[in-house]
Amino acid sequence: MPAPAFLLPSHPLDPRRVDPQFAWEARLLRDLGGEQHLVDHDALLAGDAHAAVHRVPAGRGPFWYRGWMLPSPRYTDFAAALAERGGQLLTSPPGYASAHELPGWYEVFEGATPQSVWLPVPDAGTGAGAGTVGAGTVGAERLAPAVARLGGQGPAIVKDYVKSRKDEWDEACYIPELADLPAVERVVARFVELQAEHLAGGVVLRRFEEFTRVGWDARGPASPSDDGSEGAADGNRDTGRDGRRRAVEARAWWLDGEPVLVGPHPDLPGCPVSPDLSVVRPLVRALGCRFVTTDLAERADGSGWRVVEVGDGQVSELPRGIDPSGLLIALLAA
Ligand SMILES: Nc1ncnc2c1ncn2[C@@H]1O[C@H](COP(=O)(O)OP(=O)(O)OP(=O)(O)O)[C@@H](O)[C@H]1O
Ligand SMILES: [Mg+2]
């Protein structure tokens, strides 16, 4: 079998150039001798997968994709359009959905990740062009039993199967107390409203856990302490979306069950991290997807590392300042 080729998104205004966001990966790949072709992300999102892959040579493959997130149904179309041209993505559509959406990976990681429940929302996650989901779709009558399954009290966070609204932390992400059902309903409704047509799959509620926090931005640490104190003393530094110091997260990149790159989460570029991967390793293997990422945070009491989320490695963001050559070399050899 030939070495895998890479598929990268093209520039939105010039289909012959790579999307500027992926230009440095494309350069690195070229330097490493990797073959690459461009796909039209907007066409993929719009459901026109055939047009999206028309620049990909027929009969070529296997492929790794490195690009923007795609809703799972659009990834399925992508794979089918390539297959019609004799090409094959190394991550199958079911494999993509397993790693990309929380309900796909949760059972395998249960116990190692914050306790979570989810409520599917019909018509969510079909991608651009889908109708906006009404904020009342997930009302008190559906939330009350979900809250009860989460233990009925304590803080929580809301997200969809893929993303949160972490930048609107107080309004649409953090739930201070699950026992306050009107407040739960309010935060969830705002979350659904803001996600609009981008709501992926449904609504997830997760018990909030205290993680080690740090003041950090691209210039480095604001202060070395991890006491979770309010961030006002950090002045105009980014002290985290909840007005406190942000959780230190590491992102581990796994290929065939081995961690091939470990670094900070893209929100904390340059932040030194050294997560303990011993608990996660067998879980990644059990998931059975070849190329995935795990975001890990350390419990504030020092009692171990937790999986904040799992992702498909093809659409996980690389932090600035990291050298992904080792990862790309491993992918080219896979
Ligand atoms: N159960 C939890 N307890 C405490 N903090 C959490 C929990 N789940 C998520 N967070 C924090 O909330 C923020 C968003 O969480 P999450 O990573 O799940 O969302 P996201 O939108 O997918 O983010 P990204 O894809 O950028 O990593 C992160 O800062 C994370 O540390
Ligand atoms: Mg995350």
Side-chain angles (χ1 to χ4, degrees), residues 9-69:
S10 55
H11 193 294
L13 302 176
D14 181 353
R16 287 156 307 167
R17 277 168 50 207
V18 69
D19 186 309
Q21 189 71 26
F22 294 89
W24 69 290
E25 276 183 61
R27 253 192 321 271
L28 210 51
L29 261 173
R30 217 170 5 252
D31 292 347
L32 294 168
E35 182 178 330
Q36 52 189 281
H37 304 286
L38 297 176
V39 296
D40 181 339
H41 177 74
D42 292 337
L44 282 176
L45 270 191
D48 195 355
H50 289 103
V53 303
H54 85 277
R55 289 177 176 275
V56 179
R60 181 59 173 104
F63 295 117
W64 290 118
Y65 170 59
R66 270 294 299 160
W68 303 109
M69 286 184 180

Side-chain angles (χ1 to χ4, degrees), residues 159 162-164 166 249 251 265 267 295 308-309:
K159 62 182 294 184
V162 177
K163 292 297 281 184
S164 69
K166 60 190 176 186
E249 279 187 51
R251 177 162 287 182
H265 185 279
D267 287 352
D295 290 344
V308 179
E309 63 177 339

Side-chain angles (χ1 to χ4, degrees), residues 159-179:
K159 62 182 294 184
D160 64 22
Y161 287 6
V162 177
K163 292 297 281 184
S164 69
R165 302 287 308 192
K166 60 190 176 186
D167 294 325
E168 287 104 351
W169 184 261
D170 290 319
E171 208 186 330
C173 190
Y174 182 64
I175 297 169
E177 177 50 62
L178 284 169

Side-chain angles (χ1 to χ4, degrees), residues 132-189:
T132 299
V133 175
T137 313
V138 188
E141 65 295 340
R142 294 188 73 195
L143 286 170
V147 162
R149 281 189 282 137
L150 261 194
Q153 56 182 338
I157 71 135
V158 60
K159 62 182 294 184
D160 64 22
Y161 287 6
V162 177
K163 292 297 281 184
S164 69
R165 302 287 308 192
K166 60 190 176 186
D167 294 325
E168 287 104 351
W169 184 261
D170 290 319
E171 208 186 330
C173 190
Y174 182 64
I175 297 169
E177 177 50 62
L178 284 169
D180 182 354
L181 198 59
V184 176
E185 209 184 344
R186 202 162 47 240
V187 177
V188 170

Side-chain angles (χ1 to χ4, degrees), residues 25 72 144 168 172 281 284 288 291:
E25 276 183 61
S72 298
E168 287 104 351
R281 181 191 293 260
V284 169
F291 180 29

